[in-house]
Amino acid sequence: MKIATWNVNSLNVRLPQVLQWLAQHPEVGVLALQETKTTDDKFPHQAFTDAGYHAQWFGQKTYNGVALLSRSEAQSVVKNIPGFDDASARVIAGTVDAPNMGSGLRVIGAYFPNGQAPGSDKFAYKMRWLDALREWLRAELARHPRLVLMGDYNITVDDRDVHDPVALAGTIHCTDEERAHFQGLIELGLSDAFRLFNSEGKLYSWWDYREMAFRRNRGLRIDHVLVSQALRPHCTGCVIDKAPRKNERPSDHAPVVLQLKGPIRS
């Protein structure tokens, strides 16, 4: 079974690409989407039903928006961080069955705030949001030992994730404060699935549309899949699929795909 995350940067624009990608990768049992940028009443749920997926979605006009696509219908769905007052649609969570792997895989898809710039109001909001996320995750892990947190984190983990770590040091996505929050998630008992299998640098999940950044591989690794300790022994691979970034009118992000083997036991 594979699970994946993809910031599609407008589902209205990229629905055909998402459907094509799912058709090309039928082993994907769960796909978390970010930046769907559509209201709930316009979410294309029938298209995903026709493709063999159940959908849960949480959107807003023009900005943000998340969705969870799964082969089995998600249960105990949560939208946004409980107890955290937020006007933005950023988090969706659900528990799914994983064929041949037992039941009760808790999947959280999230679109972390960008933060704009250190010292800005949006950066302060990002710090508060990350505080609230960590405390909620602490409780989620206690309830759901088999847990995956994946999405667009808008955070690089270290300099390997940055095409020019000297020039971008201390800028948004690369600040000590953001990286400390990422480490706080790790300290809850989560592992960066990508780094379980890939230790080298120059492997990115996002490239700016400008200045031929993708062609020049001037990117950032800001899309992550974190797995709980109960799942870590069952991870067999994690890759960034750059193929969709080569599409006509692509998202500026590429999917990150985790492969799990079963059975999984707590």
Side-chain angles (χ1 to χ4, degrees), residues 15-29:
L15 177 61
Q17 296 183 36
V18 175
L19 292 172
Q20 180 185 43
W21 188 82
L22 289 171
Q24 292 170 342
H25 301 276
E27 69 276 16
V28 172

Side-chain angles (χ1 to χ4, degrees), residues 140-199:
E140 283 288 281
L141 280 164
R143 288 190 292 264
H144 307 283
R146 295 175 289 189
L147 182 145
V148 178
L149 171 66
M150 58 183 175
D152 176 0
Y153 282 52
N154 275 312
I155 300 171
T156 60
V157 182
D158 55 41
D159 287 351
R160 290 176 296 175
D161 299 333
V162 185
H163 70 86
D164 191 341
V166 175
L168 296 177
T171 63
I172 198 65
H173 311 317
C174 305
T175 65
D176 290 342
E177 295 92 335
E178 291 167 294
R179 290 177 175 179
H181 273 287
F182 187 95
Q183 185 59 35
L185 298 176
I186 298 298
E187 291 170 359
L188 291 176
L190 298 172
S191 297
D192 181 350
F194 186 76
R195 287 300 179 207
L196 296 178
F197 305 96
N198 310 276
S199 61

Side-chain angles (χ1 to χ4, degrees), residues 15 37 76 100 120 247 250:
L15 177 61
K37 296 182 178 180
S76 303
N100 303 319
S120 68
N247 291 340

Side-chain angles (χ1 to χ4, degrees), residues 7 20 24 26 52 61 81 92 130 144 149 152 171 179 189 193 215 241 264:
N7 180 324
Q20 180 185 43
Q24 292 170 342
K61 186 177 181 180
I81 302 169
I92 191 161
L130 287 164
H144 307 283
L149 171 66
D152 176 0
T171 63
R179 290 177 175 179
R215 183 178 300 179
D241 183 1
I264 295 177

Side-chain angles (χ1 to χ4, degrees), residues 8-253:
V8 293
N9 192 16
S10 177
L11 192 55
N12 290 330
V13 174
R14 279 152 200 120
L15 177 61
Q17 296 183 36
V18 175
L19 292 172
Q20 180 185 43
W21 188 82
L22 289 171
Q24 292 170 342
H25 301 276
E27 69 276 16
V28 172
V30 182
L31 174 61
L33 302 177
Q34 301 88 48
E35 282 203 273
T36 55
K37 296 182 178 180
T38 186
T39 53
D40 285 350
D41 60 309
K42 295 182 179 179
F43 187 85
H45 58 89
Q46 189 60 51
F48 293 119
T49 299
D50 294 344
Y53 286 86
H54 297 272
Q56 297 287 340
W57 61 93
F58 180 38
Q60 64 185 98
K61 186 177 181 180
T62 308
Y63 300 105
N64 308 315
V66 288
L68 197 62
L69 311 177
S70 54
R71 291 294 193 183
S72 65
E73 188 169 4
Q75 305 295 322
S76 303
V77 174
V78 173
K79 300 178 180 181
N80 268 0
I81 302 169
F84 182 74
D85 187 16
D86 196 352
S88 298
R90 294 193 175 277
V91 176
I92 191 161
T95 300
V96 301
D97 292 335
N100 303 319
M101 301 174 69
S103 60
L105 181 64
R106 188 66 168 174
V107 180
I108 302 174
Y111 176 47
F112 289 44
N114 179 286
Q116 189 178 50
S120 68
D121 289 344
K122 291 183 179 179
F123 190 82
Y125 158 66
K126 185 174 189 174
M127 296 298 102
R128 294 193 304 271
W129 189 93
L130 287 164
D131 281 335
L133 176 69
R134 185 177 64 252
E135 292 311 306
W136 175 55
L137 276 175
R138 192 188 309 277
E140 283 288 281
L141 280 164
R143 288 190 292 264
H144 307 283
R146 295 175 289 189
L147 182 145
V148 178
L149 171 66
M150 58 183 175
D152 176 0
Y153 282 52
N154 275 312
I155 300 171
T156 60
V157 182
D158 55 41
D159 287 351
R160 290 176 296 175
D161 299 333
V162 185
H163 70 86
D164 191 341
V166 175
L168 296 177
T171 63
I172 198 65
H173 311 317
C174 305
T175 65
D176 290 342
E177 295 92 335
E178 291 167 294
R179 290 177 175 179
H181 273 287
F182 187 95
Q183 185 59 35
L185 298 176
I186 298 298
E187 291 170 359
L188 291 176
L190 298 172
S191 297
D192 181 350
F194 186 76
R195 287 300 179 207
L196 296 178
F197 305 96
N198 310 276
S199 61
E200 65 269 33
K202 301 185 183 301
L203 299 171
Y204 310 124
S205 64
W206 173 88
W207 303 261
D208 201 313
Y209 289 125
R210 300 168 293 183
E211 300 179 349
M212 295 185 294
F214 180 67
R215 183 178 300 179
R216 299 165 67 193
N217 199 31
R218 294 175 61 84
L220 301 172
R221 187 175 76 98
I222 55 175
D223 302 87
H224 305 293
V225 179
L226 297 190
V227 297
S228 66
Q229 290 304 305
L231 291 183
R232 179 170 171 165
H234 305 279
C235 298
T236 59
C238 189
V239 299
I240 298 168
D241 183 1
K242 294 169 63 175
R245 188 61 174 80
K246 301 174 186 178
N247 291 340
E248 185 177 352
R249 298 187 72 196
S251 169
D252 45 356
H253 294 254

